Amino acid sequence: MMEEKRMPPEAAIFGTANGVFFMAIFGTLWAYTGIMGLQWPGGTQTALLIIALLIGIALCTTGFLLLRSGRKFSGTSAGSKSGKKQRNAFNLIFAAEGIAIAIAIFVCNATQITQLIPIIVALIVGVHFFPLASLFGVRVYHLTGGLICAIALVAWIFIPERISIGGYEANAYMTVVGLGSALVLWLTSLQIVRIGRGIVQNAEAR
């Protein structure tokens, strides 16, 4: 849960809203990866992509609503300083994740093991949640990171690279890691929305 006592309402709400955006957007991107891995007929894939996009939009909308709720608590300098520190720290973590992913993709392409890109990227994404858990005081991020890493490792160790799904040969690494990670991120987003609403309600009651 969000550790409110460590930060003012503005900073806490920013943290939750930012988390919702992150989970919604990247959950949708992972869903795209998984759907493409299925290699089903175009019409079916398009329908699945539309569903994934609608889920992402709906979750982003809840994030914007949280940000709007947090504006009423933005009058204190302490909240602004705390929020700024969090933004800077988040940007550093996010940049490090992006650099690590870029390096991983380059190495996989150079060594001709491109089939492992979804797994390695998922591991990097999963690991990056652990510092975010401490930064924003959201303990559920530990579970999110652990589950994404576990999905990637299970796919790598126990699932063949290509499997038959619905009569079509699917890229199992893309499908399992993509759809699994999307589900984890979307469910985490819902949990963060619940946390954010609780923060708003507690702040309004004071």
Side-chain angles (χ1 to χ4, degrees):
M1 58 179 296
M2 175 69 70
E3 298 173 358
E4 293 181 71
K5 64 182 180 180
R6 293 188 177 182
M7 60 189 75
E10 180 195 10
I13 293 169
F14 166 79
T16 55
N18 193 59
V20 171
F21 292 139
F22 184 94
M23 304 301 162
I25 294 171
F26 285 92
T28 303
L29 289 175
W30 274 115
Y32 171 82
T33 299
I35 292 169
M36 289 298 100
L38 287 172
Q39 299 181 4
W40 284 355
T44 302
Q45 284 192 324
T46 299
L48 292 174
L49 289 172
I50 291 174
I51 293 173
L53 182 60
L54 291 176
I55 293 173
I57 292 174
L59 291 172
C60 281
T61 300
T62 64
F64 282 114
L65 293 176
L66 279 178
L67 281 180
R68 189 175 68 175
S69 299
R71 291 175 183 171
K72 66 184 72 173
F73 310 114
S74 62
T76 63
S77 59
S80 298
K81 290 179 181 178
S82 178
K84 185 176 181 180
K85 289 180 180 179
Q86 281 191 319
R87 289 177 179 87
N88 291 337
F90 173 80
N91 289 337
L92 287 174
I93 294 171
F94 189 75
E97 178 197 25
I99 293 171
I101 289 174
I103 293 173
I105 292 175
F106 174 81
V107 172
C108 286
N109 283 321
T111 56
Q112 298 183 345
I113 53 171
T114 55
Q115 72 276 11
L116 294 182
I117 288 178
I119 291 173
I120 295 174
V121 171
L123 288 172
I124 294 171
V125 171
V127 168
H128 108 287
F129 275 103
F130 296 105
L132 288 183
S134 299
L135 175 63
F136 292 119
V138 182
R139 296 176 184 174
V140 72
Y141 283 170
H142 290 295
L143 179 60
T144 300
L147 286 175
I148 292 177
C149 288
I151 290 170
L153 291 173
V154 167
W156 182 32
I157 297 172
F158 298 105
I159 299 177
E161 181 184 349
R162 306 197 70 84
I163 57 177
S164 178
I165 300 179
Y168 296 89
E169 185 176 330
N171 184 319
Y173 290 168
M174 288 179 63
T175 300
V176 174
V177 174
L179 296 181
S181 297
L183 181 60
V184 170
L185 292 175
W186 284 339
L187 290 176
T188 302
S189 182
L190 291 175
Q191 174 64 9
I192 297 172
V193 169
R194 187 189 68 81
I195 293 171
R197 288 174 177 171
I199 294 171
V200 172
Q201 291 173 357
N202 290 338
E204 289 177 340
R206 293 175 182 173

